[in-house]
Amino acid sequence: MNLIDQIILRFFQQKADDEDLRRLNQWSMEAKNQKELKDISRLWLWTSQMKEGKPSVSFDSTWDKITNKSNRPQNTRMLAINIVKYAAIILVVLNLGWWTSHYYYQAATVNQFGKLDVTADNVANSVIVLPDNTLVYLR
């Protein structure tokens, strides 16, 4: 720590004598030094405010109490919401699958047996037209 830094420290601690004040005044005449002195004084004020505003209660123990109290109900509530959400998704997917398969098999059954034409003539006993338009002659 150089001499001017020691003088500045004594000035902020209010322990500077007349000689220190004269040297500090002479040093702070330059623009560069004035800016540095302003920066140091701001830092000094901020750190002193932080010391005065320091809470008397332990931060870690208080934070642990807050997290333990707030997380338990919220975690169980969120778990219940997630279970209901996934159950609803599974129910919708299964229901959609069942209705799709039911409709598909019902339509396939109707199409398979729905277009069956049977006619009879004198030469053949009966003629059957299959769904793919093939003719089957039965005697």
Side-chain angles (χ1 to χ4, degrees), residues 14-137:
Q14 297 176 354
K15 295 179 182 177
D17 58 7
D18 291 336
E19 180 64 25
D20 290 338
L21 293 175
R22 186 187 61 74
R23 285 184 183 170
L24 183 62
N25 191 23
Q26 184 182 8
W27 176 81
S28 66
M29 290 296 181
E30 294 182 30
K32 178 182 93 171
N33 295 340
Q34 283 179 355
K35 182 180 181 317
E36 185 177 348
L37 186 60
K38 280 184 181 180
D39 291 343
I40 293 172
S41 65
R42 286 182 189 153
L43 182 63
W44 184 266
L45 288 173
W46 288 340
T47 55
S48 66
Q49 288 174 359
M50 288 174 56
K51 286 180 184 176
E52 292 172 4
K54 185 176 180 182
S56 60
V57 179
S58 171
F59 177 76
D60 294 331
S61 64
T62 306
W63 185 253
D64 289 339
K65 288 178 185 178
I66 291 171
T67 56
N68 286 338
K69 286 183 181 179
S70 65
N71 284 345
R72 285 186 183 163
Q74 190 175 25
N75 284 344
T76 56
R77 185 169 188 242
M78 290 301 295
L79 182 63
I81 289 172
N82 284 337
I83 289 172
V84 169
K85 181 173 37 173
Y86 291 123
I89 290 170
I90 290 170
L91 182 66
V92 167
V93 169
L94 290 176
N95 198 5
L96 185 64
W98 184 84
W99 280 107
T100 303
S101 66
H102 179 72
Y103 176 77
Y104 174 75
Y105 286 122
Q106 184 181 17
T109 305
V110 168
N111 286 340
Q112 184 179 8
F113 298 112
K115 193 179 176 188
L116 191 61
D117 295 331
V118 179
T119 59
D121 60 6
N122 293 338
V123 179
N125 290 339
S126 61
V127 178
I128 300 175
V129 180
L130 297 177
D132 62 348
N133 290 329
T134 57
L135 298 174
V136 177
Y137 296 96

